[in-house]
Amino acid sequence: MKQRIVLLGPPASGKGTQADRLSAAYGIPHVSTGALLRSECARGTALGKEADEWTRQGLLVPDELAVRIVTAWMEEHGTSFLFDGFPRTTGQAEHLDASLAALGAPLELIVLLELNEAEIRRRMLGRLSCLGCGATCSISLHDLREGDPCPRCGSKLVRRADDTEEALGQRLRVYRELTLPVVGYYEGTAPQLLHRIDAGQGSDEIFKKLSAMVRGE
Ligand code: AMP
């Protein structure tokens, strides 16, 4: 079983949903840097306030801040993880490789969820997120409204401050310019670990494919 996994992909490609399902099925902790940052922000911590200045605009927080939050997580929880939304830049990928090499625990699987921009837009503008557990729900699929309770944990569902038409263009540009190069980085350093999945397929189909990869089949 793979223990150190990175899920890459544009916003709304289903990374969080699939990471949740994999985590429940295989017991590998799901670590979303976006959710960690949103929780810091909701608690009003200094780190959360600093991060909010960037995330609100659809921009990435500085590498140093993203690396700090992930390092703290690994110190507390160890080196079994499913990263969703990290690394987001080649600088973060290099940093992660160095940290894991020092711990003698290299990455074991990297999966890119690929989705076209029209579908990304449709999904991002039609979803609500839970501030409690981080779940994402489709407004039309689940017939939900902002303020409704989360079907999973009962906390309030909100539209993310960066799931807006204004932030969307920025987030797509940031993905193309800063995060897609991470795929090139792994093509160069760990091509045997890198797999691609069409994220336009149904959630169950994607989960089946990911499961086989996690089990090393
Ligand atoms: P996400 O929930 O993964 O879409 O992340 C939401 C926002 O959090 C992003 O648009 C960034 O502003 C910030 N963020 C999350 N992960 C990272 C990261 N690894 N590096 C920089 N910023 C991040």
Side-chain angles (χ1 to χ4, degrees):
M1 181 96 72
K2 311 290 183 193
Q3 293 293 332
R4 283 176 292 284
I5 304 164
V6 164
L7 286 184
L8 296 170
S13 57
K15 301 186 297 293
T17 303
Q18 294 297 335
D20 265 350
R21 293 183 70 170
L22 291 170
S23 180
Y26 302 107
I28 309 163
H30 169 195
V31 188
S32 155
T33 41
L36 289 177
L37 292 169
R38 279 190 291 282
S39 137
E40 293 279 336
C41 184
R43 285 187 289 127
T45 65
L47 193 148
K49 283 183 189 147
E50 192 184 336
D52 191 48
E53 288 176 28
W54 308 90
T55 53
R56 206 160 254 289
Q57 299 175 61
L59 295 171
L60 295 185
V61 305
D63 279 357
E64 178 274 319
L65 212 163
V67 163
R68 200 183 338 146
I69 205 162
V70 166
T71 306
W73 187 91
M74 287 204 286
E75 277 167 8
E76 193 178 338
H77 301 276
T79 52
S80 169
F81 54 73
L82 230 161
F83 281 149
D84 145 23
F86 182 89
R88 279 284 231 284
T89 65
T90 52
Q92 292 177 16
E94 284 167 6
H95 197 284
L96 178 63
D97 274 351
S99 303
L100 293 177
L103 295 166
L107 283 182
E108 296 180 319
L109 176 66
I110 302 155
V111 186
L112 171 64
L113 296 175
E114 296 180 299
L115 195 65
N116 67 55
E117 289 202 3
E119 182 61 13
I120 295 172
R121 273 175 188 280
R122 199 187 63 76
R123 289 190 190 181
M124 273 173 75
L125 297 177
R127 71 180 182 181
L128 294 173
S129 302
C130 173
L131 273 177
C133 70
T136 302
C137 306
S138 154
I139 293 172
S140 54
L141 211 65
H142 302 102
D143 192 21
L144 290 166
R145 259 169 247 216
E146 197 161 5
D148 280 353
C150 168
R152 196 166 66 182
C153 78
S155 297
K156 208 165 152 183
L157 289 172
V158 295
R159 185 180 289 280
R160 277 171 46 170
D162 58 352
D163 273 351
T164 59
E165 191 70 52
E166 304 78 64
L168 189 143
Q170 184 71 279
R171 289 172 73 194
L172 288 175
R173 190 183 60 74
V174 164
Y175 179 74
R176 273 196 304 270
E177 290 177 10
L178 297 175
T179 306
L180 265 184
V182 174
V183 179
Y185 170 85
Y186 286 131
E187 275 169 348
T189 58
Q192 73 287 3
L193 302 183
L194 179 63
H195 300 261
R196 292 164 194 267
I197 292 182
D198 171 7
Q201 305 170 81
S203 180
D204 290 348
E205 193 59 32
I206 298 172
F207 179 64
K208 246 187 250 162
K209 290 183 179 165
L210 276 169
S211 289
M213 291 173 187
V214 170
R215 292 197 300 260
E217 290 163 0

